[in-house]
Amino acid sequence: MRAISGLWRWRHNPLRRTTDLVEAWLALAAVLLVLVAAPVIGSLVGSAAQDTLQQSVRDQRQSRHEVAATVVRKLSRGPLDPDPETSSARDAQSRVLADWRAPDGTARHGTVIAALKSPRHGDHFTIWTDLHGRIVGRPLDSATATTHAVLAGFGAALMSAGLVEGGRRLIVWRMIRRRYARWDQAWNRAGPDWGRTGTGS
């Protein structure tokens, strides 16, 4: 609204400079870009991220398998974690030596993190593996992928709006510097005797 009122104010004003009109048009263009282009860019980026992440969800569901593992024995904790948030999250987990069978049928044995507070020999828990039984992370779920895509879209829209506003401010700053330089040149042409015309000095 300020841009539109600025254009209207300068429309027939005899004190209007070309730069005033350019600034008003620039502000109007920036407002339109922020209101139209930024949401479109955010929507496109969010949609592309959604497609990519959902494909990743499908790929991970095909390549990762949940299998049952059996505790052989509990292992000692690793080195102390200085981060209290991380260490409290690890309190509900334990490092154990375990046996499991890979989806391709091969027997596996190794150290894993079990979601057991106090594991004992023979306890069962689930882990995620690839087809050959190697430990992998839990596959990404669809809801989390959608959340990431929405955040990517919002981020792209905000970044676009920021770039438009930053570009507008940079152009206005350069115009003001040029205006000041012209004023300095005009003062230099007027000379040190400006304002003394006709005083006889």
Side-chain angles (χ1 to χ4, degrees):
M1 288 306 290
R2 260 178 58 188
I4 294 170
S5 66
L7 280 172
W8 187 259
R9 187 179 67 229
W10 289 118
R11 207 167 67 120
H12 295 299
N13 193 322
L15 298 176
R16 181 195 75 199
R17 296 169 294 202
T18 306
T19 56
D20 295 326
L21 201 56
V22 169
E23 279 184 44
W25 277 110
L26 194 60
L28 181 62
V31 166
L32 290 176
L33 282 173
V34 166
L35 292 177
V36 176
V40 169
I41 290 170
S43 175
L44 291 174
V45 168
S47 178
Q50 173 76 342
D51 292 344
T52 303
L53 288 170
Q54 291 301 334
Q55 183 59 47
S56 179
V57 167
R58 288 189 291 274
D59 292 345
Q60 288 183 12
R61 282 183 182 161
Q62 287 179 354
S63 64
R64 298 180 184 193
H65 305 276
E66 192 174 20
V67 297
T70 305
V71 175
V72 175
R73 66 182 165 91
K74 182 178 180 179
L75 299 174
S76 61
R77 288 181 181 259
L80 291 175
D81 195 336
D83 184 2
E85 288 184 18
T86 309
S87 59
S88 64
R90 289 188 188 186
D91 285 344
Q93 298 179 335
S94 306
R95 285 179 69 232
V96 298
L97 196 62
D99 291 326
W100 66 93
R101 190 162 292 281
D104 66 359
T106 58
R108 289 283 182 165
H109 180 80
T111 303
V112 296
I113 302 294
L116 301 170
K117 194 162 188 173
S118 54
R120 290 186 300 273
H121 176 73
D123 285 349
H124 296 288
F125 61 98
T126 57
I127 57 174
W128 289 90
T129 70
D130 63 8
L131 185 62
H132 304 294
R134 291 185 291 263
I135 302 293
V136 293
R138 176 186 294 273
L140 183 66
D141 65 280
S142 186
T144 304
T146 299
T147 303
H148 287 307
V150 168
L151 290 174
F154 273 125
L158 288 175
M159 201 158 110
S160 302
L163 285 173
V164 167
E165 178 59 15
R168 185 194 70 81
R169 286 177 184 251
L170 179 64
I171 293 169
V172 169
W173 175 75
R174 292 194 60 165
M175 286 169 50
I176 290 171
R177 294 233 356 203
R178 200 172 302 146
R179 183 185 303 157
Y180 287 161
R182 283 200 301 265
W183 283 353
D184 287 341
Q185 291 168 0
W187 276 109
N188 288 337
R189 281 195 303 272
D193 293 332
W194 182 85
R196 296 189 197 172
T197 308
T199 59
S201 57

